Amino acid sequence: MKTIEYQTWDINAADLPIFSDMLTYISEYIFQVTKEEGKILIDIEESKETEILQKIEQLRQYLSLDEVKSNREVSTKVLKDYTQSHPINQENVYRQLMESGSVIKMTDGAYAYTGLFLKVFRYFCRKIDAFGKQCFPNIQEMEESVLYPVEEYERGHYFESFPHHIMFQTTLKNDIELLDRFSKEGAGNPEFFSNQNMKRPKNVMRHAACVPIYPMLKDALIPEKEPRYFLISGKCFRNESGNICELMRLNEFYMKEYVCIGTLEQTLDMIAKARALWEEWIETFGLHATIETANDSFFANNYKKLKIFQILGDSKQEFRVLIPHSGAFCAVSSSNVHRTHFTKSYNIHNEHALCQSACFAFGIERLAYTLLAQKGLDVGKWDEATRREILGDEAS
């Protein structure tokens, strides 16, 4: 193994996060990526150095990092700043959660929860459910399946935007001799996982909670005066590769979303009402946080175009909360205006035109983790407002 030092001084600060995140996907011979001031350390297979450097340059071209910067360069911006508050806890809560057994690692990027973490996790689930039912008339609650057909992912254009995150579901082929050998030899023989022995995937493992709503409403007529609201929950899966980090970046996580399908005004109204929940949490918990414009982690060859569309159109905003022990901010929730991106693919319309859609997403692990990172695991040291909100009757 060899570590190469890649200088990043000439990369725009707004593009640096996606550049460093994408590095882990460009070659199977990159083992670890470590970000430092002005440079990135990349652990690689030494014999593949020339090939990897070529792929890094290809990544730069995809992201258009070598173009002369112009006045059209766009960056995210802070809309509301709540960084004046001082978190109670400064210690490494991730390490403490693991040591206490409240969070149990199953495999890379996947955990089991119990104890205090599970209690906080369930609080956020209850709060999001109650808020949605109170704010949005006749909201339809759904717990969605994990598996989702490949052809529907293609119809929704997810492969174009997020091929690096997609995780597939497949099985061994139906063959008695193959299955007999596998039962005896187990997974240690890589031959079992070759194209010759594995079925072509028919399903992906859903990467976002709202995905199944649109095919479910294919060709639907939604009256202009009767928008549809959904409260969707379920496990989601994203290949985070080498970007897995504590409980902030996971391969398996639980997501809740509010979805509105109606006119543009109705979708924007849903988002405006839902943002009140961010403000409530900031005030109740005294969170050190920001609300910012944002763009998704699009795949490299689509990044520049889609980033500009999102930021200039103000179509995505994130609620970001500080992790005190590392100084990093974690996006725990986001608002997303899709316009007709999904409704066009599925012909979801009202009496006069295509409907528009928007979603408001919550990462439950991230919410629970960031709250505990700022409050600590000693409930006795929490402020009264936090104890009362999280623990209810137990707080007394």
Side-chain angles (χ1 to χ4, degrees), residues 15-29:
D15 294 321
L16 188 55
I18 185 67
F19 176 75
S20 57
D21 281 357
M22 288 301 303
L23 281 173
T24 190
Y25 298 103
I26 67 173
S27 172
E28 63 180 308
Y29 301 108

Side-chain angles (χ1 to χ4, degrees), residues 14-15 18 62-64 72-76 156-164 207 293-317 336-339 341-342:
D15 294 321
I18 185 67
Y62 276 165
L63 299 177
S64 303
R72 292 202 62 198
E73 184 65 41
V74 291
S75 300
T76 59
H157 304 288
Y158 297 109
F159 293 148
E160 296 174 17
S161 300
F162 306 107
H164 52 307
H207 83 291
T293 60
N295 60 278
D296 285 306
S297 181
F298 297 117
F299 184 61
N301 64 5
N302 257 342
Y303 168 70
K304 207 73 173 181
K305 176 182 70 175
L306 296 177
K307 170 192 171 184
I308 290 171
F309 286 162
Q310 276 197 324
I311 293 178
L312 293 185
D314 193 23
S315 60
K316 185 179 184 72
Q317 295 184 12
N336 306 272
V337 181
H338 309 137
R339 300 188 185 274
H341 179 82
F342 296 117

